Amino acid sequence: MKHRIVVLGAGYAGAIAAGRLARRLHPDDVDITVVNAAGDFVERVRMHQLATGQDLTRHELSEVYAGTGVRVRLARVGAVDVEHRTVAVTDERGADELAYDTLVYALGSAAADHGVPGVAEHAYDVSGRPSALRLRDRLAHLAAGGTVLVVGGGLTGLEAATEIAEARPDLDVAIAARGGLGDWLNEKARQHLRGVCDRLGITVHEHTDIARVEANGAVTGDGRAIPAQVTVWTAGFAVHPIAAATTLTVAATGQILVDDTMRSVSHPDVYAVGDAGLAAGPGGRPLRMSCASGTPMAWQAADAIAARLTGRTRIPKAPLRYFNQCISLGRRDGIIQYVTADDRAKPALLTGRLAARYKEVVCKGAAWSISHPIFYPVRRRRVASIRPESLATTS
């Protein structure tokens, strides 16, 4: 009987993990199934571009996994039973159940409203393709002189605000940040960011908490109204609640707690990668939700699973660390902030058109890595003759 590996989600982490497993394990010994709601891989880091009317390249999963042996199941995940090793799914034919021997949980995250009233009813977001297309349609119908407020001063908020302002210079765009604008960047990067906002005509509201979103804008914690015909919510992400509904050990965030091989600390036949897993990086600091974290997490999980299944005692170690933060500021500007392994800003950086080109190369490279999860020739190893339950004791 083949060892059944089920991968839930085909975002960056899930898609890379599935492809890497297929290239490390012999197809006669494993059955790898990717479960995803859509038939193509979505470049989530480009959703701000999609929202402003740009057309993105489609990456059909059937083409991504052609010739690898990976099967794609188009379905939505409803529940996971980690005690009986089954996943409840629903597709166009109705409800079904998939059994697994090893599960890779990579369902990712969605925009988090943090309990702020009015976000669900009135705000837009760029956390996925459906929501980005909804914002795209709204912006397309916004007349010249219209007002847009982006809530959230992190990477997503900065990219969304600058992309909208550049694509629609006829709009009045503002951004509200809880702290200082780009306060995690070094001084030169912050100066450049302010210059870009000034050039694009973006109004900046620093040290501003949003207490409520309304149909015509937002209200701050101190009662001040910020008018906006369109409010874009980019104030963080939250994972899907499926894992928290199981007996898996999860953090307060709902993320699955994993060890340094991305293996669940409570259920050894489950691995969590990307936003769904809470893993420790350098210095014990949790890895942040990002493509920069999800990709090495996927490498680590796939290599650990392959090593354990093939009976190797040495588990390869992926570089779970950071090198830079890449921020696009429209299509012609950007910031590449070089960082320490634990994500703290260094003095070195790139700005301007060179940074924009650098970011574009990174985005294209991330998409390319879905079809090329291993950058060198590798032998597909045979699975050792061990039962799935015995894997729980392998370390």
Side-chain angles (χ1 to χ4, degrees):
M1 181 181 293
K2 291 186 177 182
H3 188 90
R4 300 162 298 181
I5 301 175
V6 174
V7 180
L8 303 183
Y12 289 98
I16 290 173
R20 197 171 178 95
L21 283 166
R23 287 164 174 79
R24 290 213 179 279
L25 297 170
H26 200 285
D28 291 343
D29 297 338
V30 293
D31 183 0
I32 303 173
T33 301
V34 173
V35 181
N36 199 56
D40 62 325
F41 164 74
V42 176
E43 292 186 79
R44 190 177 185 182
V45 297
R46 292 188 186 274
M47 290 300 96
H48 55 287
Q49 295 178 239
L50 183 64
T52 54
Q54 299 171 52
D55 294 324
L56 305 181
T57 302
R58 299 293 289 259
H59 305 276
E60 295 295 331
L61 292 175
S62 59
E63 297 177 6
V64 168
Y65 293 122
T68 67
V70 174
R71 294 191 300 174
V72 178
R73 178 70 182 271
L74 300 183
R76 294 188 177 278
V77 178
V80 177
D81 186 338
V82 292
E83 307 307 325
H84 296 91
R85 296 192 181 101
T86 59
V87 179
V89 300
T90 304
D91 60 16
E92 59 184 9
R93 295 171 294 182
D96 196 7
E97 189 175 84
L98 300 178
Y100 67 83
D101 298 311
T102 296
L103 180 71
V104 180
Y105 188 104
L107 289 179
S109 62
D113 62 17
H114 302 297
V116 176
V119 173
E121 296 83 359
H122 304 299
Y124 296 78
D125 68 76
V126 289
S127 64
R129 184 164 58 198
S131 57
L133 288 174
R134 179 171 167 261
L135 174 59
R136 175 179 177 143
D137 181 68
R138 181 68 183 93
L139 291 174
H141 288 87
L142 197 59
T147 52
V148 178
L149 172 65
V150 177
V151 179
L155 300 180
T156 305
L158 294 178
E159 294 192 329
T162 52
E163 199 77 41
I164 294 170
E166 181 184 85
R168 291 290 306 274
D170 59 325
L171 299 179
D172 182 0
V173 180
I175 185 170
R178 174 171 290 182
L181 185 69
D183 56 7
W184 71 93
L185 302 170
N186 70 28
E187 179 59 30
K188 288 184 178 180
R190 292 196 299 272
Q191 290 178 0
H192 185 79
L193 177 58
R194 289 183 182 281
V196 171
C197 288
D198 289 343
R199 173 172 59 80
L200 294 175
I202 298 172
T203 301
V204 178
H205 301 276
E206 296 184 275
H207 307 289
T208 301
D209 284 325
I210 299 299
R212 185 171 72 254
V213 176
E214 299 177 340
N216 58 352
V219 178
T220 67
D222 56 8
R224 181 167 52 94
I226 302 177
Q229 292 171 270
V230 177
T231 298
V232 184
W233 191 263
T234 67
F237 298 92
V239 298
H240 293 285
I242 291 175
T246 71
T247 55
L248 287 163
T249 298
V250 300
T253 58
Q255 294 170 284
I256 299 171
L257 292 178
V258 296
D259 63 15
D260 60 358
T261 68
M262 305 304 112
R263 195 184 211 180
S264 163
V265 299
S266 61
H267 291 72
D269 48 1
V270 176
Y271 292 73
V273 296
D275 294 354
L278 186 62
R285 296 178 61 179
L287 296 175
R288 59 180 164 88
M289 293 185 182
S290 65
C291 177
S293 303
T295 296
M297 289 174 74
W299 295 341
Q300 181 60 74
D303 291 355
I305 292 169
R308 286 170 173 141
L309 285 177
T310 56
R312 285 177 287 164
T313 57
R314 179 180 172 275
I315 305 296
K317 296 298 182 182
L320 296 174
R321 55 152 300 165
Y322 299 103
F323 297 94
N324 52 48
Q325 292 184 13
C326 304
I327 311 170
S328 66
L329 303 174
R331 294 298 86 209
R332 297 181 293 276
D333 209 330
I335 297 173
I336 306 301
Q337 173 67 76
Y338 293 98
V339 298
T340 60
D342 60 352
D343 213 25
R344 290 176 289 113
K346 289 182 176 181
L349 77 157
L350 297 176
T351 58
R353 289 183 179 272
L354 180 58
R357 294 193 198 99
Y358 188 114
K359 173 65 184 289
E360 181 62 21
V361 169
V362 169
C363 290
K364 287 183 177 179
W368 181 86
S369 69
I370 302 301
S371 299
H372 304 81
I374 298 180
F375 311 131
Y376 48 85
V378 64
R379 178 168 63 91
R380 292 182 172 182
R381 295 179 179 270
R382 303 303 299 259
V383 172
S385 299
I386 53 178
R387 297 172 312 211
E389 55 267 27
S390 68
L391 293 173
T393 60
T394 305
S395 60

